[in-house]
């Protein structure tokens, strides 16, 4: 987990770079279980500070339904203010 945090800190603010950390972890068998993947997906959301960047990541992962579902649930759970909710609706095109 420390290694993932380090990698994600270098990719912070860039959804594509954050996604590459995930792909690398899967490719190197660093997250063989769903629990580990779910934790990494959560850390990825934390590395992206805004609702808009989190939605951009979710859109990049839409072809992987399980990961996309986990990301979507995580990004919705991180919405705490009315302003963030408006940003979510805008980013989703609602």
């Amino acid at each position: 987990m420390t290694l993932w945090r380090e990698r994600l800190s270098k990719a912070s603010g860039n959804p594509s770079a954050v996604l590459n950390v995930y792909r690398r972890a899967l490719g190197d068998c660093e997250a063989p279980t769903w629990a580990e993947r779910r934790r990494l997906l959560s850390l990825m959301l934390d590395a992206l500070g805004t609702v808009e960047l989190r939605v951009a990541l979710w859109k990049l992962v839409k072809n992987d339904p399980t990961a996309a579902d986990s990301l979507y649930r995580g990004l919705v759970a991180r919405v705490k203010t009315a302003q963030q909710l408006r940003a979510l609706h805008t980013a989703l095109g609602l």
Side-chain angles (χ1 to χ4, degrees):
M1 198 161 46
T2 302
L3 179 61
W4 293 340
R5 281 194 178 116
E6 182 180 319
R7 290 179 187 162
L8 289 169
S9 71
K10 294 175 185 174
S12 181
N14 183 339
S16 294
V18 166
L19 180 56
N20 286 336
V21 171
Y22 180 73
R23 288 180 176 154
R24 180 178 173 193
L26 294 184
D28 292 345
C29 297
E30 295 175 353
T33 68
W34 175 242
E36 291 165 323
R37 291 177 187 182
R38 190 174 55 241
R39 180 66 181 138
L40 177 54
L41 290 165
S42 178
L43 291 171
M44 291 163 58
L45 289 172
D46 292 340
L48 299 170
T50 68
V51 171
E52 294 83 3
L53 291 173
R54 291 171 179 164
V55 170
L57 175 64
W58 171 73
K59 288 179 179 180
L60 291 173
V61 181
K62 284 173 67 172
N63 291 333
D64 180 346
T66 306
D69 181 61
S70 181
L71 284 173
Y72 185 79
R73 290 170 185 263
L75 75 91
V76 169
R78 285 166 173 78
V79 171
K80 303 294 181 197
T81 67
Q83 180 180 1
Q84 289 174 331
L85 184 59
R86 283 190 294 277
L88 177 62
H89 287 172
T90 301
L92 292 173
L94 301 178

